Amino acid sequence: MSFANFNYESESNDKRSRVGCYVSSKLNYVRRQDLVEPNLHIIIIDIKSLKNTRLINIYRPFNPQSNETPRNFFNKQLQIIANAYNNNTILVGDFNLDWKKKGAHDYAFKGYFEDMNEKLNHVNCSQLVTFNTWSRIVN
């Protein structure tokens, strides 16, 4: 699908692309494929017209298309993000994690938050979304 005055950017993927974004054609930007690896569900864009703002868009799958464990795959994604992060970075996407359960000892994905903390602690991220963006409806 295309929209007037927008460019569509999609991740580099051999099988199934899960990350995409529309960027206004009014923005002077550069797609940074040199900072990512194919098949990791990450797009990095430098927006030159916004004081060199970097946009990193990620999707963390529950079941990676590789033969890796989901947690190892996530750690690869986190390393790409940590290496690409700068002072003007906006990190967006779908981590498939419940922020409200971040500190819960019985949360199945507690270790993923620990991995995020370890890899991204130095960048001082702030969680801006404080409400559920999706919920399962069970009859």
Side-chain angles (χ1 to χ4, degrees), residues 9-131:
E9 298 289 345
S10 179
E11 69 168 294
S12 299
N13 199 301
D14 298 332
K15 296 179 183 174
R16 182 177 178 197
S17 178
R18 293 184 163 183
V19 177
C21 61
Y22 288 94
V23 182
S24 172
S25 57
K26 295 176 185 176
L27 293 176
N28 178 14
Y29 74 95
V30 175
R31 174 80 181 269
R32 296 299 306 269
Q33 293 194 50
D34 59 312
L35 298 177
V36 298
E37 296 176 24
N39 307 319
L40 281 182
H41 309 306
I42 298 175
I43 296 173
I44 300 177
I45 294 172
D46 284 345
I47 305 170
K48 301 296 183 187
S49 52
L50 293 176
K51 298 181 182 178
N52 292 319
T53 297
R54 177 164 287 165
L55 176 71
I56 301 177
N57 190 353
I58 177 178
Y59 172 75
R60 183 192 71 80
F62 285 104
N63 298 308
Q65 61 194 27
S66 65
N67 292 329
E68 297 177 83
T69 67
R71 191 161 175 190
N72 284 343
F73 186 87
F74 184 52
N75 274 285
K76 275 186 166 181
Q77 291 178 307
L78 290 173
Q79 192 60 57
I80 295 285
I81 293 167
N83 292 342
Y85 212 93
N86 68 26
N87 289 338
N88 291 327
T89 296
I90 300 169
L91 178 59
V92 299
D94 188 351
F95 286 84
N96 281 312
L97 296 170
D98 188 339
W99 188 261
K100 291 181 180 179
K101 294 181 181 177
K102 179 181 177 185
H105 296 292
D106 60 344
Y107 183 47
F109 297 104
K110 179 180 183 263
Y112 288 65
F113 280 112
E114 292 168 357
D115 296 343
M116 283 178 66
N117 209 24
E118 178 186 320
K119 296 266 189 324
L120 301 180
N121 191 35
H122 71 284
V123 301
N124 200 19
C125 291
S126 296
Q127 174 69 24
L128 300 177
V129 178
T130 58
F131 54 89

